[in-house]
Amino acid sequence: MHVELEHVGHRFNRSAWLFRDLSLSLHPDRLYALTGPSGSGKSTLLSIVSGHVSPAVGWVRRIGVSRVQWVFQNPFGDPRRSVLDLVCLPLLSLGMPRRDARIAAATLLDEFGLAEHAMSRFSTLSGGQAQRLMLARAISAQPDLLLVDEPTAQLDSQTAETVIGALGRLVSRGAIVVVATHDERTVRACTDSIELMRSTR
Ligand SMILES: Nc1ncnc2c1ncn2[C@@H]1O[C@H](COP(=O)(O)OP(=O)(O)OP(=O)(O)O)[C@@H](O)[C@H]1O
Ligand SMILES: [Mg+2]
Protein backbone atom coordinates (compact mmCIF):
# COMPACT_ATOMS: atom_id res chain seq x y z
CA MET A 1 0.00 0.00 0.00
CA HIS A 2 1.26 3.49 -0.79
CA VAL A 3 0.25 6.87 -2.18
CA GLU A 4 2.10 8.45 -5.10
CA LEU A 5 1.99 12.12 -6.07
CA GLU A 6 3.50 12.91 -9.45
CA HIS A 7 4.17 16.48 -10.57
CA VAL A 8 1.16 17.71 -8.61
CA GLY A 9 0.32 21.40 -8.77
CA HIS A 10 -2.72 23.33 -7.66
CA ARG A 11 -4.24 26.77 -7.87
CA PHE A 12 -7.80 28.00 -7.52
CA ASN A 13 -9.18 29.51 -10.73
CA ARG A 14 -6.54 31.86 -12.08
CA SER A 15 -4.85 32.75 -8.82
CA ALA A 16 -1.13 32.10 -8.29
CA TRP A 17 0.03 28.49 -7.93
CA LEU A 18 -0.09 27.30 -4.32
CA PHE A 19 2.42 24.54 -5.10
CA ARG A 20 3.80 23.02 -8.26
CA ASP A 21 5.70 19.96 -9.38
CA LEU A 22 5.24 18.12 -6.10
CA SER A 23 6.34 14.48 -6.46
CA LEU A 24 6.44 12.22 -3.43
CA SER A 25 5.53 8.77 -2.12
CA LEU A 26 3.73 8.18 1.17
CA HIS A 27 4.30 4.85 2.90
CA PRO A 28 2.90 2.92 5.88
CA ASP A 29 4.68 3.09 9.24
CA ARG A 30 5.64 6.71 8.57
CA LEU A 31 4.19 9.81 10.22
CA TYR A 32 4.41 12.76 7.82
CA ALA A 33 4.38 16.39 8.97
CA LEU A 34 3.00 18.77 6.34
CA THR A 35 4.32 22.23 7.15
CA GLY A 36 4.35 25.70 5.61
CA PRO A 37 3.04 29.19 6.35
CA SER A 38 -0.65 29.97 6.67
CA GLY A 39 -2.17 30.03 3.19
CA SER A 40 0.59 27.92 1.61
CA GLY A 41 -1.91 25.17 0.74
CA LYS A 42 -1.59 22.52 3.48
CA SER A 43 -5.34 21.94 3.85
CA THR A 44 -5.70 22.02 0.07
CA LEU A 45 -3.00 19.36 -0.31
CA LEU A 46 -4.73 17.14 2.27
CA SER A 47 -7.96 17.43 0.26
CA ILE A 48 -6.02 16.38 -2.86
CA VAL A 49 -4.30 13.43 -1.15
CA SER A 50 -7.69 12.31 0.24
CA GLY A 51 -9.18 12.37 -3.27
CA HIS A 52 -11.85 14.97 -2.52
CA VAL A 53 -10.22 17.56 -4.79
CA SER A 54 -8.49 16.87 -8.11
CA PRO A 55 -5.19 18.67 -8.57
CA ALA A 56 -5.07 21.27 -11.35
CA VAL A 57 -2.10 19.34 -12.77
CA GLY A 58 -0.40 16.05 -12.00
CA TRP A 59 -1.52 12.68 -10.68
CA VAL A 60 -2.32 11.14 -7.33
CA ARG A 61 -2.44 7.36 -7.04
CA ARG A 62 -3.68 5.62 -3.92
CA ILE A 63 -2.44 2.06 -4.36
CA GLY A 64 -4.00 -0.57 -2.10
CA VAL A 65 -5.68 2.10 0.05
CA SER A 66 -9.27 1.21 0.81
CA ARG A 67 -10.21 3.38 3.79
CA VAL A 68 -9.41 7.09 3.88
CA GLN A 69 -10.25 9.42 6.77
CA TRP A 70 -9.73 13.15 6.75
CA VAL A 71 -10.07 15.18 9.97
CA PHE A 72 -10.82 18.79 9.08
CA GLN A 73 -9.16 21.85 10.57
CA ASN A 74 -12.53 23.07 11.88
CA PRO A 75 -14.41 20.17 13.45
CA PHE A 76 -18.09 19.76 12.82
CA GLY A 77 -20.53 17.02 13.64
CA ASP A 78 -24.23 16.49 14.28
CA PRO A 79 -24.76 18.82 17.27
CA ARG A 80 -27.41 16.59 18.87
CA ARG A 81 -25.51 13.29 18.70
CA SER A 82 -23.72 12.10 21.81
CA VAL A 83 -19.94 11.85 21.81
CA LEU A 84 -20.17 8.07 22.34
CA ASP A 85 -22.56 7.67 19.39
CA LEU A 86 -20.27 9.62 17.06
CA VAL A 87 -17.35 7.28 17.79
CA CYS A 88 -19.60 4.15 17.69
CA LEU A 89 -21.02 4.82 14.23
CA PRO A 90 -17.90 3.98 12.18
CA LEU A 91 -17.46 0.77 14.21
CA LEU A 92 -21.07 -0.26 13.57
CA SER A 93 -20.61 0.45 9.87
CA LEU A 94 -17.58 -1.91 9.91
CA GLY A 95 -19.98 -4.61 11.15
CA MET A 96 -19.02 -4.63 14.83
CA PRO A 97 -21.85 -5.70 17.17
CA ARG A 98 -23.35 -2.77 19.12
CA ARG A 99 -22.13 -3.94 22.52
CA ASP A 100 -18.53 -4.38 21.30
CA ALA A 101 -18.69 -1.05 19.44
CA ARG A 102 -19.71 0.76 22.62
CA ILE A 103 -16.85 -0.82 24.56
CA ALA A 104 -14.29 -0.01 21.82
CA ALA A 105 -15.62 3.55 21.50
CA ALA A 106 -15.46 4.09 25.27
CA THR A 107 -11.84 2.87 25.27
CA LEU A 108 -10.94 5.31 22.48
CA LEU A 109 -12.67 8.20 24.27
CA ASP A 110 -10.72 7.36 27.40
CA GLU A 111 -7.49 7.37 25.40
CA PHE A 112 -8.33 10.89 24.15
CA GLY A 113 -9.32 12.20 27.58
CA LEU A 114 -12.99 12.41 26.62
CA ALA A 115 -14.43 9.64 28.81
CA GLU A 116 -16.30 12.04 31.06
CA HIS A 117 -18.00 13.61 28.02
CA ALA A 118 -19.19 10.31 26.51
CA MET A 119 -22.86 11.12 27.03
CA SER A 120 -22.54 14.86 26.19
CA ARG A 121 -23.88 16.27 22.96
CA PHE A 122 -21.34 17.25 20.33
CA SER A 123 -22.55 20.87 20.51
CA THR A 124 -21.45 21.19 24.15
CA LEU A 125 -17.76 20.39 23.51
CA SER A 126 -14.95 22.95 23.41
CA GLY A 127 -13.04 23.41 20.13
CA GLY A 128 -10.12 21.24 21.27
CA GLN A 129 -12.45 18.52 22.62
CA ALA A 130 -14.46 18.52 19.38
CA GLN A 131 -11.32 18.10 17.32
CA ARG A 132 -10.10 15.25 19.53
CA LEU A 133 -13.48 13.61 19.14
CA MET A 134 -13.29 13.87 15.34
CA LEU A 135 -9.83 12.29 15.49
CA ALA A 136 -11.08 9.47 17.77
CA ARG A 137 -13.92 8.90 15.31
CA ALA A 138 -11.56 8.82 12.32
CA ILE A 139 -9.30 6.31 14.11
CA SER A 140 -12.31 4.13 14.98
CA ALA A 141 -12.95 3.81 11.23
CA GLN A 142 -9.59 1.95 11.03
CA PRO A 143 -8.23 3.98 8.11
CA ASP A 144 -5.34 2.92 5.87
CA LEU A 145 -4.73 6.59 5.13
CA LEU A 146 -5.43 9.26 7.75
CA LEU A 147 -5.10 12.96 7.00
CA VAL A 148 -5.28 15.25 10.02
CA ASP A 149 -5.41 19.04 9.81
CA GLU A 150 -3.84 20.91 12.76
CA PRO A 151 -4.73 18.35 15.45
CA THR A 152 -2.76 20.05 18.24
CA ALA A 153 -3.43 23.73 17.46
CA GLN A 154 -6.03 24.15 20.19
CA LEU A 155 -4.49 21.87 22.82
CA ASP A 156 -2.37 22.32 25.94
CA SER A 157 0.95 20.50 25.80
CA GLN A 158 -0.15 17.47 27.82
CA THR A 159 -3.26 16.88 25.70
CA ALA A 160 -1.19 17.44 22.55
CA GLU A 161 1.14 14.63 23.70
CA THR A 162 -1.90 12.33 24.02
CA VAL A 163 -2.96 13.10 20.45
CA ILE A 164 0.55 12.64 19.05
CA GLY A 165 0.79 9.31 20.91
CA ALA A 166 -2.51 8.12 19.36
CA LEU A 167 -1.27 9.03 15.86
CA GLY A 168 1.96 7.14 16.53
CA ARG A 169 -0.01 4.02 17.57
CA LEU A 170 -2.09 4.16 14.38
CA VAL A 171 1.11 4.41 12.35
CA SER A 172 2.56 1.41 14.16
CA ARG A 173 -0.55 -0.57 13.11
CA GLY A 174 0.46 0.05 9.47
CA ALA A 175 -1.47 3.19 8.49
CA ILE A 176 -0.17 6.11 6.43
CA VAL A 177 -0.68 9.29 8.45
CA VAL A 178 -0.17 12.88 7.27
CA VAL A 179 -0.49 15.73 9.77
CA ALA A 180 -0.72 19.38 8.64
CA THR A 181 0.72 21.38 11.49
CA HIS A 182 2.37 24.59 12.65
CA ASP A 183 3.30 23.00 15.98
CA GLU A 184 7.06 22.37 16.35
CA ARG A 185 6.56 19.60 18.89
CA THR A 186 4.23 17.75 16.52
CA VAL A 187 6.76 18.17 13.69
CA ARG A 188 9.49 16.69 15.90
CA ALA A 189 7.29 13.65 16.70
CA CYS A 190 6.89 12.90 12.97
CA THR A 191 9.28 10.67 11.04
CA ASP A 192 9.21 12.72 7.79
CA SER A 193 8.33 16.23 6.72
CA ILE A 194 6.84 17.80 3.60
CA GLU A 195 7.31 21.55 3.47
CA LEU A 196 5.24 23.94 1.37
CA MET A 197 6.59 27.39 0.60
CA ARG A 198 4.76 30.67 0.75
CA SER A 199 2.72 31.31 -2.40
CA THR A 200 4.29 33.74 -4.87
CA ARG A 201 1.11 35.74 -5.50
N1 LIG B 1 -12.14 26.41 -2.32
C1 LIG B 1 -11.30 27.45 -2.48
N2 LIG B 1 -11.49 28.37 -3.44
C2 LIG B 1 -10.62 29.37 -3.63
N3 LIG B 1 -9.52 29.57 -2.89
C3 LIG B 1 -9.28 28.70 -1.91
C4 LIG B 1 -10.14 27.58 -1.64
N4 LIG B 1 -9.62 26.86 -0.61
C5 LIG B 1 -8.49 27.51 -0.25
N5 LIG B 1 -8.29 28.60 -1.02
C6 LIG B 1 -7.14 29.51 -0.93
O1 LIG B 1 -5.96 28.76 -1.11
C7 LIG B 1 -4.94 29.20 -0.23
C8 LIG B 1 -4.41 28.04 0.57
O2 LIG B 1 -5.42 27.65 1.51
P1 LIG B 1 -5.19 26.44 2.52
O3 LIG B 1 -6.40 26.40 3.38
O4 LIG B 1 -4.85 25.21 1.76
O5 LIG B 1 -3.89 26.94 3.33
P2 LIG B 1 -3.22 26.36 4.65
O6 LIG B 1 -1.76 26.18 4.36
O7 LIG B 1 -3.98 25.17 5.12
O8 LIG B 1 -3.39 27.57 5.67
P3 LIG B 1 -3.58 27.56 7.30
O9 LIG B 1 -2.20 27.25 7.87
O10 LIG B 1 -4.02 28.93 7.61
O11 LIG B 1 -4.59 26.51 7.63
C9 LIG B 1 -5.53 30.33 0.59
O12 LIG B 1 -5.14 31.56 0.00
C10 LIG B 1 -7.02 30.13 0.45
O13 LIG B 1 -7.70 31.36 0.50
MG1 LIG C 1 -5.14 24.81 6.76
Side-chain angles (χ1 to χ4, degrees), residues 27-33 171 177 186-194:
H27 294 277
D29 298 325
R30 313 296 300 169
L31 182 53
Y32 296 89
V171 164
V177 179
T186 306
V187 175
R188 282 197 300 274
C190 290
T191 56
D192 298 77
S193 83
I194 303 162

Side-chain angles (χ1 to χ4, degrees), residues 10-13 15-16 18-19 34-47 53 73-74 149-150 180-182 196-197 199 201:
H10 198 71
R11 62 177 173 180
F12 289 98
N13 305 317
S15 58
L18 287 173
F19 42 83
L34 174 58
T35 62
S38 179
S40 58
K42 299 181 295 299
S43 298
T44 304
L45 185 58
L46 291 187
S47 71
V53 170
Q73 192 161 3
N74 302 305
D149 209 341
E150 303 283 0
T181 186
H182 288 285
L196 298 181
M197 303 295 164
S199 152
R201 83 180 66 193

Side-chain angles (χ1 to χ4, degrees), residues 67 69 85-98 101 137-138 140-142:
R67 285 200 284 266
Q69 285 287 318
D85 270 358
L86 283 165
V87 180
C88 268
L89 287 174
L91 295 168
L92 295 173
S93 74
L94 288 170
M96 194 179 277
R98 178 166 295 273
R137 187 164 92 132
S140 78
Q142 300 171 18

Side-chain angles (χ1 to χ4, degrees), residues 99-175:
R99 198 186 134 77
D100 295 349
R102 287 178 77 85
I103 293 168
T107 306
L108 258 175
L109 289 176
D110 194 29
E111 191 181 331
F112 281 90
L114 293 170
E116 66 190 274
H117 300 284
M119 301 319 292
S120 307
R121 290 175 177 215
F122 179 78
S123 58
T124 65
L125 298 180
S126 73
Q129 289 167 345
Q131 232 225 2
R132 256 164 27 242
L133 168 61
M134 289 296 112
L135 184 57
R137 187 164 92 132
I139 289 177
S140 78
Q142 300 171 18
D144 304 314
L145 173 62
L146 175 67
L147 308 161
V148 196
D149 209 341
E150 303 283 0
T152 51
Q154 306 186 63
L155 304 182
D156 59 83
S157 55
Q158 200 183 337
T159 317
E161 292 291 337
T162 310
V163 164
I164 294 167
L167 293 175
R169 281 192 291 283
L170 185 65
V171 164
S172 65
R173 292 206 294 265

